[in-house]
Amino acid sequence: MPLTTTPAGLVVLPGAGGDRDQPALVAIERDLAQAAPNLRVVRAHFANRDAGKKGPERPAVAVAHVAALVSELARELDVPTSRIAVGGRSFGGRMASMAVADGLAVAGLLLLSYPLHPPGRPENLRTDHLGAITAPTLAVTGERDPFGTPTEMREHLAAITGPTEIVLVPGNHSPALGPVLAAVRAWVGASAQWPRLPAGESKVAR
């Protein structure tokens, strides 16, 4: 289900402890450079990585950082933030979703392997903010993801009030990369076929 508003840019962020060179983010940028050459893709990480710190950024700081990145790209492209899509993998997607729930106007929200709850702790849901999200949302999740089963994802992401699509792909929290790229490509309205990965390159989204 492509976005109804064609985005001018996309900001993507990594999972906890990752940086802008996380393989899944690199693959998305590379794929969209061919499939949607007019779309400006920005891979970014959280500020604590620049300070040499590992592990997740504090949520309040991370959410503000997401909003700043989207605003910066909008200024660069001379468009409103409502023409910029935002999202990321795991923690990065969660922080992007919190920024959107806080009122950041975007073209769309991309959730890759959204961490609905810690593995084995389904009672610790990270869903309180979802009802405030009105942006069109794409969630791509592995069929065996311990951070949220397909049934749990369908149940809890239904709280999002904007148009929402959930795409199940083979794998766990690091699902098969090809189907992830295909889902993202379709979402932004690109039509080019997914290029084959060079020999030796990872086929898993980490």
Side-chain angles (χ1 to χ4, degrees), residues 27-179:
I28 288 171
E29 180 184 39
R30 181 182 302 158
D31 187 65
L32 292 179
Q34 298 182 50
N38 292 328
L39 178 69
R40 173 86 159 85
V41 178
V42 171
R43 293 182 285 113
H45 51 238
F46 296 99
N48 63 340
R49 296 293 294 186
D50 292 325
K53 299 178 181 178
K54 296 183 178 180
E57 179 66 273
R58 289 177 294 134
V61 175
V63 169
H65 185 64
V66 171
L69 288 167
V70 170
S71 296
E72 181 180 349
L73 182 56
R75 286 194 298 271
E76 177 186 331
L77 299 179
D78 194 25
V79 297
T81 63
S82 58
R83 288 287 311 285
I84 305 297
V86 67
R89 176 177 148 65
S90 194
F91 178 83
R94 181 182 167 218
M95 294 301 104
S97 72
M98 292 173 67
V100 172
D102 281 351
L104 177 65
V106 294
L109 174 64
L110 176 62
L111 305 178
L112 305 175
S113 299
Y114 185 81
L116 197 63
H117 57 70
R121 297 163 61 188
E123 70 281 2
N124 290 2
L125 290 168
R126 296 150 171 169
T127 58
D128 289 347
H129 64 291
L130 296 182
I133 296 173
T134 60
T137 300
L138 172 66
V140 185
T141 187
E143 295 170 330
R144 296 179 286 103
D145 194 332
F147 287 80
T149 67
T151 298
E152 290 172 328
M153 295 294 285
R154 292 189 187 98
E155 176 185 355
H156 296 291
L157 294 189
I160 296 173
T161 56
T164 304
E165 181 180 8
I166 300 174
V167 176
L168 301 179
V169 297
N172 48 33
H173 199 57
S174 294
L177 184 53

